[in-house]
Amino acid sequence: MPAQPVIGVLALQGDVREHLVSLAECDVIARPVRRPEELAEVDGIVLPGGESTTMSRLLETFELLEPLRKRLADGLPAYGSCAGMILLAGTVVDGRPDQQQLAAVDMVVRRNAFGRQVDSFESELTVTGVDGGPVHAVFIRAPWVESVGDGVEVLARVPDIPASGAAAGRIVAVRQGSVLATAFHPELTGDERVHRLFVETVRAA
């Protein structure tokens, strides 16, 4: 791998630009990925927030679904935020019947668990592997993780306090091998620490 890893951002739909900006702050080469040949050139991939069913359909339309599944199975490091977390899950509750899963993380995710877009939620999270104090997490129509398999490390939960409501204690960040997923959107807050955690994973791989 070169001194500067090349990290792609799946650029079919969602907050692609924000992830590219965050990655650019992490001393890597960040590129949008829309075609299989672009996917073949990256050392890691980010699946952005957006609308998971739309992204699933576009993965098929752009003939990226199977190449991405294969690269993930071969160990490509990946990071998914919000909709990206849903795509990476093995099982989705409240998803569409025709929704395609990448099944890179052994977890059950509940789609839109935090409610409608107007019901966005913010919280301060302690995230394992992220130094420098709590992460200010923004959730927008976000999923949460209902359960994880034995090989999955839980990195963060919503604080189990009354102010968290139904989200109290829910799992919102996980890692399995070189795949990282968060229910929240670090790309929207200007805090690159979660992206740096992913970059460290890419460098280690």
Side-chain angles (χ1 to χ4, degrees), residues 11-41:
L12 304 181
Q13 191 258 349
D15 45 8
V16 176
R17 186 185 65 83
E18 291 85 350
H19 275 291
L20 289 169
V21 169
S22 294
L23 288 166
E25 296 293 324
C26 298
D27 195 31
V28 299
I29 299 166
R31 292 178 180 164
V33 170
R34 297 185 185 88
R35 301 194 303 272
E37 53 268 34
E38 293 169 340
L39 176 64
E41 295 174 350

Side-chain angles (χ1 to χ4, degrees), residues 10-16 33-34 47-65 68 82-84 86-87 92 94-102 111-112 117 141:
L10 186 67
L12 304 181
Q13 191 258 349
D15 45 8
V16 176
V33 170
R34 297 185 185 88
L47 310 180
E51 211 292 310
S52 61
T53 55
T54 301
M55 289 167 72
S56 163
R57 189 173 68 250
L58 290 173
L59 278 169
E60 293 186 275
T61 301
F62 283 79
E63 298 182 339
L64 276 165
L65 181 63
L68 183 52
C82 196
I86 295 169
L87 287 172
V92 176
D94 291 342
R96 286 170 51 112
D98 58 347
Q99 187 166 338
Q100 298 286 345
Q101 295 306 121
L102 296 169
R111 183 171 169 263
N112 290 352
Q117 194 139 6
R141 290 181 61 203

Side-chain angles (χ1 to χ4, degrees), residues 25-186:
E25 296 293 324
C26 298
D27 195 31
V28 299
I29 299 166
R31 292 178 180 164
V33 170
R34 297 185 185 88
R35 301 194 303 272
E37 53 268 34
E38 293 169 340
L39 176 64
E41 295 174 350
V42 301
D43 303 305
I45 187 79
V46 172
L47 310 180
E51 211 292 310
S52 61
T53 55
T54 301
M55 289 167 72
S56 163
R57 189 173 68 250
L58 290 173
L59 278 169
E60 293 186 275
T61 301
F62 283 79
E63 298 182 339
L64 276 165
L65 181 63
E66 291 308 325
L68 183 52
R69 278 179 173 158
K70 184 177 187 310
R71 287 220 60 195
L72 289 168
D74 290 343
L76 178 71
Y79 166 49
S81 67
C82 196
M85 171 184 256
I86 295 169
L87 287 172
L88 289 169
T91 305
V92 176
V93 180
D94 291 342
R96 286 170 51 112
D98 58 347
Q99 187 166 338
Q100 298 286 345
Q101 295 306 121
L102 296 169
V105 180
D106 182 11
M107 62 180 172
V108 178
V109 166
R110 182 173 293 277
R111 183 171 169 263
N112 290 352
F114 282 86
R116 303 181 308 277
Q117 194 139 6
V118 292
D119 295 332
S120 60
F121 175 79
E122 300 186 22
S123 182
E124 303 298 316
L125 302 181
T126 299
V127 181
T128 300
V130 174
D131 297 328
V135 171
H136 182 70
V138 175
F139 301 85
I140 304 170
R141 290 181 61 203
W144 61 48
V145 179
E146 298 266 301
S147 62
V148 297
D150 292 340
V152 180
E153 179 186 7
V154 174
L155 300 182
R157 294 177 182 266
V158 175
D160 195 357
I161 56 175
S164 299
R170 294 290 186 174
I171 299 168
V172 289
V174 298
R175 177 168 53 196
Q176 183 172 9
S178 59
V179 179
L180 176 71
T182 65
F184 54 93
H185 291 267

